[in-house]
C-alpha cells in the first residue's frame, strides 16, 4: 500500500465532506506523517483546528475532528487506530463525543460520551457503586464495534438534522455518498473477518467461489467479538 | 486541498515536552485528571495533542 497516496486520498475525502456540508471558514484536513503512522485533521499543527458550527447563522459550537492511521502488520491495509469527533459549545464545554480506539482496553472500541445531567440516572449509578456517578459523560455507550460503528457522516447528520445546526444546500447527498463509501469499505473488512460467511452469501447469489487450497481462513475473533 | 507534512521525531518530542511544561502537569497527572473527569478545556486540549504526538511517535 502506498501510505502517502492513501493518506492524501482519505484527507481529501474528509475535506470534501466537511467543506461541502458545513458553512464557515476552516482549514482543510492535513496529513501529518511520521514513518508508517499518520494523523489527519484540519490545520497544520499537531493540535486540530476546530471546525465552527452555526445555528441560524450564529456560531454556537465547534467540532473537533481527528483520525490516526497506521499500516497493518503486513503493510497491506491502512487502518484507523483512533478517531475522535467532538462537539463543543461556545464556552468550550464538551457536549458530545464519539471515539473509536482500535485497541481499547476497557471502554467499548467505538463509543459515544454524552455530556449531560440526569438525576435519576446518577442516583442509579451511585447505588450501583459507580465511581463517577455524577458524570454521565463517564459512561461509554457502545456503538457497533470496529466494523459497524458510525461514520463522520452520521455524526454530521445528527448535528444537522437532530440538533438543527446549519448546513450547506445539498448536504444530504454529500453525506449519503460518503456514508455509502464508508460502508462499502467496511463490507470489505467484514468479508475479511468472516470469509466463509462471505463465500456462502456470494454462492447463494449465484457466484462461484473457490476457497484457497488451504481452506477457508478462520474468522477474526477480535473484530467479531469485541464490544 | 490537503497536503502531506512530514513531521520530525525530535520536534514532536520537543513539542510534547513544551506542552506538559506549559500545563505544569506530568503526563500521568493529565491522565489521572482525565479519568476523574476534572480536566479544564485547556488541559483537555493538551492531553489530546500529547496523545496524537505519542501516537505518531509510536510511544503509546
Amino acid at each position: 500500500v502506498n501510505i502517502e497516496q492513501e493518506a492524501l486520498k482519505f484527507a481529501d475525502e474528509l475535506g470534501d465532506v466537511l467543506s461541502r456540508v458545513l458553512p464557515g471558514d476552516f482549514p482543510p484536513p492535513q496529513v501529518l506523517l511520521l514513518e508508517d503512522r499518520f494523523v489527519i485533521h484540519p490545520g497544520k499543527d499537531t493540535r486540530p483546528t476546530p471546525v465552527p458550527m452555526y445555528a441560524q447563522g450564529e456560531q454556537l459550537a465547534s467540532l473537533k475532528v481527528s483520525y490516526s492511521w497506521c499500516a497493518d502488520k503486513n503493510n497491506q491495509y491502512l487502518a484507523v487506530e483512533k478517531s475522535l469527533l467532538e462537539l463543543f459549545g461556545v464556552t468550550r464545554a464538551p457536549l458530545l463525543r464519539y471515539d473509536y480506539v482500535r485497541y481499547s482496553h476497557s471502554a467499548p472500541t467505538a463509543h459515544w460520551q454524552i455530556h449531560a445531567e440526569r438525576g435519576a440516572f446518577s442516583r442509579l449509578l451511585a447505588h450501583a457503586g459507580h465511581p463517577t456517578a455524577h458524570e454521565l459523560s463517564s459512561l461509554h455507550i457502545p456503538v457497533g464495534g470496529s466494523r459497524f460503528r458510525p461514520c463522520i457522516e452520521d455524526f454530521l447528520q445528527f448535528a444537522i438534522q437532530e440538533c438543527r445546526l446549519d448546513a450547506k444546500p445539498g448536504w444530504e447527498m454529500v453525506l449519503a455518498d460518503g456514508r455509502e463509501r464508508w460502508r462499502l469499505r467496511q463490507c470489505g473488512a467484514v468479508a475479511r473477518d468472516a470469509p466463509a460467511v462471505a463465500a456462502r452469501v456470494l454462492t447463494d447469489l449465484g457466484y462461484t467461489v473457490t476457497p484457497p487450497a488451504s481452506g477457508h481462513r478462520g474468522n477474526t475473533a477480535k473484530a467479531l467479538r469485541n464490544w | 486541498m490537503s497536503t502531506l507534512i512530514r513531521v520530525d521525531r525530535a520536534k514532536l518530542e520537543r513539542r510534547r515536552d513544551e506542552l506538559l511544561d506549559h500545563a505544569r502537569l506530568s503526563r500521568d497527572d493529565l491522565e489521572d485528571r482525565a479519568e476523574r473527569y476534572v480536566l479544564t478545556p485547556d488541559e483537555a486540549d493538551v492531553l489530546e495533542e500529547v496523545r496524537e504526538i505519542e501516537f505518531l511517535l509510536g510511544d503509546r
Side-chain angles (χ1 to χ4, degrees):
Chain A
V1 64
N2 183 325
I3 290 181
E4 294 177 16
Q5 205 175 314
E6 290 296 309
L8 280 169
K9 185 176 138 198
F10 288 121
D12 281 338
E13 283 177 6
L14 174 63
D16 185 60
V17 168
L18 292 173
S19 66
R20 290 171 65 197
V21 168
L22 298 178
D25 292 325
F26 46 89
Q30 305 295 344
V31 178
L32 306 184
L33 175 74
L34 182 64
E35 296 155 15
D36 63 347
R37 290 166 173 255
F38 61 92
V39 169
I40 297 176
H41 60 226
K44 293 183 175 176
D45 302 320
T46 43
R47 180 171 299 189
T49 303
V51 175
M53 304 280 284
Y54 299 84
Q56 315 266 8
E58 184 184 353
Q59 191 191 337
L60 292 180
S62 298
L63 175 68
K64 193 187 281 184
V65 183
S66 183
Y67 288 86
S68 302
W69 293 72
C70 76
D72 71 349
K73 57 183 184 294
N74 302 321
N75 222 28
Q76 201 176 358
Y77 298 104
L78 290 175
V80 175
E81 290 277 316
K82 295 190 297 179
S83 68
L84 162 67
L85 297 170
E86 188 165 23
L87 193 65
F88 292 90
V90 275
T91 60
R92 295 174 69 203
L95 305 175
L96 183 70
R97 179 175 171 126
Y98 165 47
D99 274 288
Y100 169 66
V101 183
R102 190 179 180 198
Y103 296 108
S104 180
H105 296 300
S106 55
T109 311
H111 60 257
W112 293 97
Q113 284 170 282
I114 298 168
H115 294 263
E117 292 166 4
R118 180 70 178 166
F121 207 161
S122 292
R123 203 157 48 244
L124 180 154
L125 295 175
H127 277 288
H130 194 285
T132 51
H134 60 291
E135 286 285 354
L136 288 194
S137 62
S138 67
L139 300 180
H140 303 88
I141 301 167
V143 279
S146 290
R147 301 306 184 218
F148 300 104
R149 67 189 196 268
C151 51
I152 187 171
E153 288 81 1
D154 295 326
F155 192 103
L156 293 174
Q157 186 151 354
F158 168 79
I160 295 162
Q161 194 166 309
E162 300 284 319
C163 303
R164 312 287 178 94
L165 297 185
D166 294 350
K168 286 183 173 174
W171 63 269
E172 296 100 326
M173 191 60 78
V174 177
L175 293 185
D177 288 347
R179 184 178 294 115
E180 183 177 14
R181 197 165 50 231
W182 158 258
R183 288 184 181 166
L184 286 173
R185 256 184 213 139
Q186 294 306 91
C187 283
V190 170
R192 285 199 302 279
D193 288 340
V197 173
R200 178 176 53 75
V201 172
L202 286 171
T203 304
D204 289 347
L205 290 171
Y207 290 86
T208 302
V209 180
T210 310
S214 54
H216 281 301
R217 204 183 68 181
N219 292 341
T220 310
K222 181 183 172 302
L224 296 174
R225 296 173 65 92
N226 277 15
W227 78 327
Chain B
M1 187 76 178
S2 303
T3 53
L4 188 140
I5 300 163
R6 287 175 195 287
V7 289
D8 177 78
R9 183 171 286 275
K11 277 186 189 165
L12 286 178
E13 286 168 347
R14 219 165 28 244
R15 173 68 180 158
R16 176 182 55 186
D17 294 345
E18 282 168 8
L19 285 165
L20 294 173
D21 282 351
H22 188 69
R24 296 171 186 265
L25 287 167
S26 71
R27 180 69 177 81
D28 289 342
D29 288 341
L30 270 178
E31 287 290 353
D32 178 59
R33 288 177 64 74
E35 274 180 30
R36 290 187 289 118
Y37 296 88
V38 294
L39 286 175
T40 66
D42 283 340
E43 289 168 353
D45 282 348
V46 168
L47 181 58
E48 290 301 340
E49 188 172 353
V50 167
R51 282 175 175 166
E52 283 207 0
I53 290 170
E54 288 174 342
F55 169 77
L56 286 167
L57 292 170
D59 280 359
R60 289 205 185 203

